[in-house]
Structure formats: structure tokens, C-alpha cells
Amino acid sequence: MTDGVEDSEEIAALEKALVDETMDPVDIPFSLLKSITGNFSEAQEIGRGGFGVVYKGVLPSGRTVAVKQLFERYEILDKTFDSEIDCLAGLKHKNTVRFLGYSSETQYLRRLCDGKLQWVAKRQRLLCFEYLPKGCLAGYLSDASCGLHWSTRYQIIKGICEGIHYLHQHRIIHRDLKPQNVLLDDNMIPKIADFGLSRHLSESQSRDITENKFGTMGYMAPEFFNKGEITFKTDVYSLGAIIMDILMGQKECSDVKEVVESWTDKFGTSKSHTSLEEVKLCAEIGIKCRNYDPRNRPATWSIIHGILDEAEISNWSVTSDVATSTEGQVQSLK
């Protein structure tokens, strides 16, 4: 086979993974990802974090993907890559970012070392995801007086809750939940992203301990920050901080009355009793999630159950997949 034929087959496989949500992630050549990102051009950079840079990739068809190139730090490169692959493989939910494929190659380049030309190994570890055009949630946070309408904020809160619940059902602890790691699609549907710090627990595990306390202040649970302890309630604390961000534009508020009054002023004479009840419910959940003691934080299945039950008085409907996942979680707790 010629390189051109191989390239066309590889592009076709990535195109198919992009449009067919039932497909498993595909192995993508480094050369293809390098090509569609303009040789990882700064002009196509769309994000940067502690473990890598994310670029916009443009396929020949005009469709777009997101390409995450991990930094080449020997102590974290393979561990981070393997962790993300382990957590992302098999995840298929409307509130988690779609994982399309990966690239793992080692190149040998001639480099001048100690005055001599030597062959040096350069490892390339990349991940490919669906491209979310609206960017991250962090760019849309504001207090009640401006920004997103309540219905959109409520949709985002519910979607994040459902996404985290799905991860926990699959025994995945995200560990780095924050507005920067929640992406939004064209319809403002939230999708949880960036699984570089995630942990995949075995069926016999309920907790883990780490000495590497990577995370973002304000979203890190106190037991993780103080002792390196990781449980599903670690994510719940972060969820609470995100909910308060969405409600008030900042996470420090701990007064339900203050939140409701803020939104009462926003709704004004057109205020809806149903909407205010939703605001109150979300504020109560956000504050409970941020309880210092993880034992007093709610589980994700109870959060979803509470939100969706209250929402029956509004126009929201309980989708069959959420109902099924909630039932499965209840069964698993028996």
C-alpha cells in the first residue's frame, strides 16, 4: 500500500469514529494528528493544562476534532496517558466528552548532546476527542443579574450531575472537576472532560490514597487536600462548588436564602414559582455537596433523584436512560 492510500484509510477511520457514536476509539498515526493541527500550530491551540496542550484539528472534510498532546515528562507521561485511556475507554454518555482515538509513538531524532550528534527518543502520546464549539463552562459563569438564563443554567447543572453519576456507576473518580473541565456543545449541553487525574477503582475498592495532590484550590475536597484521600465523595465536593458557581458566579456562598433572593430580583415581576423552587433546590444541593465531612455529602444517585423529582412540576421530563442508571445505582447499594 502506498502512503497516500494508508492516509486516506486512516482519515476515513477517524471520520467514521466522529460520526458513529457506537464505535470504539481508534489508533491514529501521529503523522495524521500532526497534519490536521498544522504541526501543532499555536494558531490552533484551544486550551492548555498541567499535563498537555489541546489543539483544534481540521479534517479534509471540514469536520473538527480536539487533539490533546501530553507533555513529555517522563515521570507522568505514560502514567497519565494510560490513566486517561483506562477511564475513557467504553465511556458513552451524553454528558461526557466523546473519546475518538489515541496515538502512541516513539520517534528517534538526531540531537546535539554534549557536542555530539546522538539519537534521542521522543515519545508522542496524544488523545483525540470531539470538538465542543462553545468552549468551557468557566467562560459563562456570572451572578444572577446577567449571563445565562435560568433554564440554561438548570440544564447545565442537571447534565453535570448525570455525567458524574454515570462515571461513578463505572467506578471512575474524576478528581479534577471544575468549570474549565466542563465543555459545552452547540445546544449548551455540558460534557465532562479531562480525565488525566482520574482513578478507576476496582469493585472491591471504595477509596484510594495518593501523595500527588494535583488539583485546583476551591474545588479540592478537604480530605483530599489534607490527607490525599480519594472517594466518590471527592467528586461530590467539587460538584457542589461548580453548582454554586453556576448559581452565583462564585463558589463561596453558603446561604440558600441569599441565592433565592438574588434570583427573585432577577426574575422580577415575571418570576416563576417553579423556577424559584428549582433555584432553591439547586442551592441546597450545592451547599450539602460542599460539607466538610464527606459522610454528610449526598451520593450522586440521590442528587439526581431529588432534582428530577422536583422538576416534575416543570416542563422537564425524566429520560429513560437517567431512570435506568438511577435504578442501577440503587440496586448496587443494596
Side-chain angles (χ1 to χ4, degrees):
M1 260 188 205
T2 67
D3 289 344
V5 174
E6 288 178 349
D7 287 348
S8 64
E9 290 181 351
E10 291 153 353
I11 291 169
L14 181 53
E15 291 269 10
K16 185 177 180 183
L18 186 57
V19 298
D20 184 355
E21 297 186 7
T22 65
M23 273 190 64
D24 290 330
V26 296
D27 188 359
I28 308 171
F30 171 74
S31 58
L32 175 55
L33 297 179
K34 179 180 178 180
S35 174
I36 64 175
T37 58
N39 193 17
F40 307 105
S41 165
E42 287 186 9
Q44 290 181 230
E45 183 178 324
I46 55 176
R48 180 178 290 263
F51 296 104
V53 183
V54 182
Y55 299 89
K56 181 178 180 179
V58 183
L59 298 172
S61 65
R63 294 191 179 98
T64 53
V65 295
V67 178
K68 180 178 180 180
Q69 183 180 39
L70 298 178
F71 293 135
E72 191 182 15
R73 297 175 185 163
Y74 282 87
E75 70 275 14
I76 65 169
L77 180 62
D78 287 332
K79 184 176 181 180
T80 302
F81 182 75
D82 293 343
S83 174
E84 287 214 50
I85 294 288
D86 178 52
C87 291
L88 287 164
L91 289 186
K92 289 181 173 62
H93 189 270
K94 65 182 184 297
N95 297 120
T96 60
V97 68
R98 281 187 60 217
F99 177 44
L100 304 175
Y102 53 87
S103 178
S104 176
E105 296 185 12
T106 300
Q107 299 174 308
Y108 291 91
L109 308 173
R110 294 280 280 175
R111 291 286 187 266
L112 191 63
C113 299
D114 298 326
K116 296 180 180 179
L117 280 174
Q118 300 181 24
W119 288 104
V120 177
K122 182 175 178 61
R123 299 179 301 166
Q124 301 286 357
R125 304 291 184 266
L126 302 100
L127 303 164
C128 187
F129 303 91
E130 63 176 321
Y131 175 72
L132 281 304
K134 295 291 187 181
C136 69
L137 175 61
Y140 297 87
L141 298 178
S142 69
D143 61 24
S145 66
C146 60
L148 301 176
H149 293 297
W150 170 247
S151 59
T152 302
R153 299 193 199 208
Y154 190 49
Q155 169 184 269
I156 292 171
I157 289 172
K158 290 201 303 175
I160 296 170
C161 290
E162 291 173 20
I164 297 171
H165 176 58
Y166 174 81
L167 294 178
H168 288 185
Q169 280 193 303
H170 287 73
R171 306 200 62 76
I172 293 171
I173 303 173
H174 188 280
R175 276 189 61 198
D176 195 24
L177 291 168
K178 55 186 178 181
Q180 289 82 356
N181 289 340
V182 177
L183 305 180
L184 300 163
D185 72 5
D186 277 324
N187 298 312
M188 300 299 284
I189 301 299
K191 295 176 181 282
I192 298 168
D194 200 340
F195 290 78
L197 292 178
S198 299
R199 290 295 175 89
H200 197 171
L201 300 186
S202 67
E203 289 295 331
S204 62
Q205 279 183 293
S206 61
R207 62 195 289 269
D208 199 0
I209 299 292
T210 181
E211 294 181 358
N212 299 320
K213 300 175 185 177
F214 296 112
T216 303
M217 294 301 297
Y219 300 94
M220 298 168 64
E223 69 277 7
F224 172 65
F225 180 75
N226 295 327
K227 299 181 293 183
E229 182 179 359
I230 304 167
T231 69
F232 294 110
K233 296 296 183 72
T234 304
D235 280 351
V236 172
Y237 183 92
S238 305
L239 170 62
I242 294 172
I243 289 175
M244 300 312 293
D245 273 337
I246 295 171
L247 288 172
M248 300 293 285
Q250 51 91 16
K251 67 187 75 61
E252 302 308 324
C253 180
S254 59
D255 186 343
V256 173
K257 183 179 179 182
E258 179 184 342
V259 176
V260 173
E261 286 179 350
S262 178
W263 279 96
T264 301
D265 293 340
K266 167 66 174 178
F267 293 139
T269 56
S270 63
K271 67 182 180 183
S272 161
H273 174 73
T274 298
S275 295
L276 282 176
E277 284 298 314
E278 291 169 350
V279 169
K280 181 174 181 287
L281 176 66
C282 289
E284 290 172 345
I285 290 172
I287 291 169
K288 288 177 182 176
C289 287
R290 295 182 69 236
N291 193 291
Y292 187 88
D293 188 340
R295 294 171 298 182
N296 294 330
R297 297 174 204 152
T300 53
W301 68 264
S302 67
I303 294 170
I304 292 175
H305 184 71
I307 289 178
L308 294 180
D309 274 359
E310 284 289 330
E312 286 178 358
I313 60 176
S314 71
N315 292 326
W316 297 103
S317 61
V318 182
T319 59
S320 59
D321 61 323
V322 173
T324 301
S325 65
T326 301
E327 180 182 352
Q329 178 70 28
V330 173
Q331 291 296 324
S332 69
L333 293 172
K334 289 182 179 180

